[in-house]
């Protein structure tokens, strides 16, 4: 089979030891300089110091050679938490927030998530597809090669299934790997405002079985928060999802500490996301259960909140992943370089720790680390060439994406 050779690159990649990288391993990356990488049939078939890779490489089998000119080569980003499937922007709400109104107050008045619910219910499937696809393409241009997308703006069985169909179509019609997540418990819809437990019944008895039968979503998520879903309701929904064979994650302790991160530990969730307000006790429960902390610094930035305690998670051996949370309310960005910049400059991650968070640990948060998230033999050839010498360029070149080329399965697509 034909080989592609990428040489004269400054390769930086986390190393997959079979579990998410935690504690001091979070920042353990391998560097090859000058490094080379071989692609065969879309997979990595050799990586290392250039002289070692070139030794024993049958020159006649190399049908394409790329001189990377000393540029940094890293794995494609995995964005493990987004709400990119939505119908309309909420620009006026942004103005209300910068005018001083809080995110939860806007939601309480029927805006926020609920205004996106109204828009999605009205939107046709093809309109929803076009908008979602264009955001996914923007993510790809910023270096994301694998992305998770949640439902959660339908909040009734038909519209939740509609969102998951749209996400599935985006998965089939773009070069990225797209991972759909069911988030029927994203808000209490207006028709159940006075009877939230009846809505929980609907999720457990009707939506979850329908989602399982549809077969698109493999994860179930819940927004566990004041005025949204309580700890007990979240436990009920996620336990039911687990019984149907789904992996679970939570929006936990984003605004107030309800103990959502601790619940993630109790349920052996793959990740607890946001966790801005998580207590030390909950963090230790996450560590014991091996739950990944998916941190979303662009949300803290957009809501002007304090950042999650990334150093505490790392010092307590909780693996940290990074994601955009891309949504029309609390964090409207598709850019993983922006998120990495915030993580390095405002949460105290080293560029190497942030790289692991945005690639390997994020792949683990989606159950995909066997095929992506780091550059090693046998994994997918999903990688980026940066306009810079090291991953530091991602934080250093503020507000501009240093992603020069994006390769997916060894093909240049950006
Ligand atoms: O992760 N927190 C809940 N859900 C999203 C926001 C969704 C929205 O505002 O539309 C989040 O921040
Ligand atoms: Fe979110």
């Amino acid at each position: 089979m034909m080989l592609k050779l990428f040489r004269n690159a400054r390769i930086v990649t986390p190393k997959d030891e079979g579990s998410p990288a935690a504690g001091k391993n979070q920042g353990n990356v391998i560097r090859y300089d000058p490094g080379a990488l071989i692609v065969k049939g879309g997979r990595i078939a050799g990586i290392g110091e250039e002289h070692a890779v070139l030794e024993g490489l049958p020159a006649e089998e190399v049908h394409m050679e790329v001189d990377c000119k000393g540029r940094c080569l890293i794995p494609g980003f995995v964005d493990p938490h987004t709400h990119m499937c939505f119908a309309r922007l909420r620009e006026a709400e942004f103005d209300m927030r910068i005018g001083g109104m809080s995110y939860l107050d806007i939601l309480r008045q029927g805006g926020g998530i609920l205004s996106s619910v109204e828009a999605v219910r009205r939107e046709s499937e093809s309109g929803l597809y076009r908008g979602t696809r264009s955001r996914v393409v923007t993510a790809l241009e910023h270096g994301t090669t694998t992305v998770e997308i949640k439902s959660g703006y339908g909040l009734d069985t038909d519209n939740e299934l509609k969102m998951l169909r749209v996400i599935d179509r985006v998965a089939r019609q773009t070069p990225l790997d797209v991972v759909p997540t069911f988030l029927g418990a994203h808000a209490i819809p207006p028709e159940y405002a006075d009877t939230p437990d009846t809505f929980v019944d609907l999720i457990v008895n009707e939506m979850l079985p329908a989602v399982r039968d549809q077969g698109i979503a493999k994860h179930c998520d819940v927004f566990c928060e004041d005025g949204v879903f309580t700890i007990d309701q979240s436990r009920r929904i996620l336990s039911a999802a687990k019984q149907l064979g789904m992996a679970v994650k939570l929006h936990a302790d984003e605004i107030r500490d309800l103990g959502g991160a601790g619940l993630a530990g109790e349920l052996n969730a793959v990740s607890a996301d946001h966790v801005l307000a998580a207590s030390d006790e909950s963090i230790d429960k996450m560590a014991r259960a091996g739950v990944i902390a998916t941190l979303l610094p662009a949300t803290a930035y957009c809501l002007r909140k304090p950042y999650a305690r990334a150093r505490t998670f790392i010092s307590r051996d909780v693996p940290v992943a990074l994601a955009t949370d891309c949504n029309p309310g609390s964090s409207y960005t598709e850019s993983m370089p922006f998120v990495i910049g915030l993580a390095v400059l405002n949460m105290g991650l080293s560029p190497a720790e942030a790289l692991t968070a945005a690639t390997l640990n994020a792949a683990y948060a989606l159950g995909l680390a066997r095929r992506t998230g780091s550059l090693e033999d046998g994994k997918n050839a999903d990688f980026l060439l940066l306009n810079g010498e090291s991953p530091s360029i991602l934080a250093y070149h503020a507000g501009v994406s240093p992603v020069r080329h994006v390769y997916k399965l060894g093909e240049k697509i950006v």
Side-chain angles (χ1 to χ4, degrees):
M1 196 186 278
M2 299 295 219
L3 305 178
K4 291 183 191 174
L5 168 66
F6 296 81
R7 44 169 292 275
N8 194 17
R10 290 183 162 97
I11 299 178
V12 184
T13 177
K15 182 160 170 44
D16 189 351
E17 307 277 10
S19 59
K24 61 177 182 0
N25 290 331
Q26 176 91 35
N28 252 343
V29 295
I30 302 177
R31 296 172 198 264
Y32 303 115
D33 179 12
L37 179 148
I38 296 171
V39 177
K40 185 176 177 183
R43 301 244 147 67
I44 297 168
I47 182 166
E49 297 291 347
E50 180 168 309
H51 65 86
V53 171
L54 293 182
E55 233 176 60
L57 179 70
E60 64 285 0
E61 285 181 25
V62 176
H63 81 293
M64 195 183 114
E65 185 176 316
V66 177
D67 178 355
C68 300
K69 303 202 169 103
R71 290 196 177 91
C72 184
L73 189 160
I74 59 173
F77 299 127
V78 177
D79 185 349
H81 179 140
T82 87
H83 309 255
M84 283 187 190
C85 184
F86 61 82
R88 195 168 14 89
L89 291 174
R90 298 182 344 229
E91 232 169 299
E93 219 178 75
F94 176 79
D95 290 335
M96 288 158 78
R97 281 207 318 276
I98 49 178
M101 199 161 167
S102 84
Y103 179 78
L104 284 184
D105 281 339
I106 294 171
L107 179 62
R108 273 183 213 109
Q109 295 185 2
I113 295 173
L114 295 177
S115 73
S116 289
V117 170
E118 213 186 295
V120 162
R121 287 179 176 179
R122 268 205 310 261
E123 183 63 282
S124 69
E125 212 158 310
S126 58
L128 201 52
Y129 168 75
R130 279 193 301 276
T132 308
R133 188 193 150 87
S134 86
R135 288 180 278 277
V136 165
V137 168
T138 302
L140 178 65
E141 288 164 357
H142 287 76
T144 298
T145 49
T146 300
V147 64
E148 185 249 25
I149 309 179
K150 301 175 195 296
S151 69
Y153 295 124
L155 306 191
D156 62 35
T157 307
D158 288 349
N159 282 292
E160 286 294 309
L161 294 178
K162 171 173 103 181
M163 287 188 76
L164 290 170
R165 279 196 303 276
V166 165
I167 299 166
D168 186 50
R169 184 167 162 212
V170 173
R172 284 180 284 106
Q173 302 189 354
T174 60
L176 294 86
D177 283 310
V178 177
V179 180
T181 293
F182 171 62
L183 177 59
H186 194 194
I188 311 285
E191 52 291 12
Y192 292 95
D194 300 323
T195 50
D197 280 315
T198 314
F199 183 58
V200 175
D201 292 339
L202 180 80
I203 294 176
V204 169
N205 299 328
E206 187 181 303
M207 286 194 206
L208 272 171
V211 167
R212 193 262 326 262
D213 290 348
Q214 186 191 37
I216 293 173
K218 56 174 189 174
H219 292 95
C220 178
D221 191 348
V222 170
F223 186 15
C224 177
E225 185 64 59
D226 243 3
V228 195
F229 293 89
T230 64
I231 285 282
D232 287 340
Q233 292 168 334
S234 305
R235 184 187 286 110
R236 225 190 117 199
I237 295 165
L238 295 173
S239 306
K242 280 180 75 167
Q243 291 211 320
L244 294 175
M246 299 173 84
V248 300
K249 31 176 83 228
L250 275 100
H251 283 66
D253 306 329
E254 175 179 353
I255 297 163
R256 257 197 57 197
D257 175 23
L258 296 188
L263 178 63
E266 183 192 310
L267 294 173
N268 283 304
V270 271
S271 67
D273 301 23
H274 287 291
V275 290
L276 296 189
S279 67
D280 289 351
E281 198 193 329
S282 291
I283 292 175
D284 287 339
K285 283 189 186 157
M286 286 174 66
R288 281 196 295 276
V291 179
I292 295 168
T294 298
L295 306 185
L296 309 159
T299 311
Y301 172 82
C302 295
L303 296 182
R304 295 182 292 176
K305 297 271 185 202
Y307 289 80
R309 297 185 292 151
R311 293 263 43 110
T312 307
F313 285 100
I314 292 176
S315 71
R316 292 179 182 239
D317 284 329
V318 175
V320 168
L322 286 168
T324 60
D325 196 19
C326 180
N327 75 74
S330 62
S331 172
Y332 180 41
T333 179
E334 298 90 342
S335 172
M336 286 296 281
F338 175 60
V339 166
I340 290 168
L342 292 176
V344 169
L345 291 167
N346 290 340
M347 293 200 309
L349 262 63
S350 70
E353 288 171 333
L355 179 69
T356 301
T359 57
L360 183 66
N361 284 358
Y364 270 104
L366 296 179
L368 292 181
R370 252 183 309 138
R371 61 173 202 245
T372 193
S374 60
L375 302 174
E376 7 210 337
D377 282 356
K379 286 206 188 189
N380 288 350
D382 297 352
F383 59 88
L384 314 176
L385 277 178
L386 304 180
N387 286 318
E389 297 175 354
S390 74
S392 300
I393 193 71
L394 294 159
Y396 170 50
H397 200 173
V400 173
S401 169
V403 174
R404 184 183 180 88
H405 294 307
V406 179
Y407 287 86
K408 178 80 190 141
L409 296 173
E411 299 289 334
K412 182 160 80 180
I413 43 181
V414 175

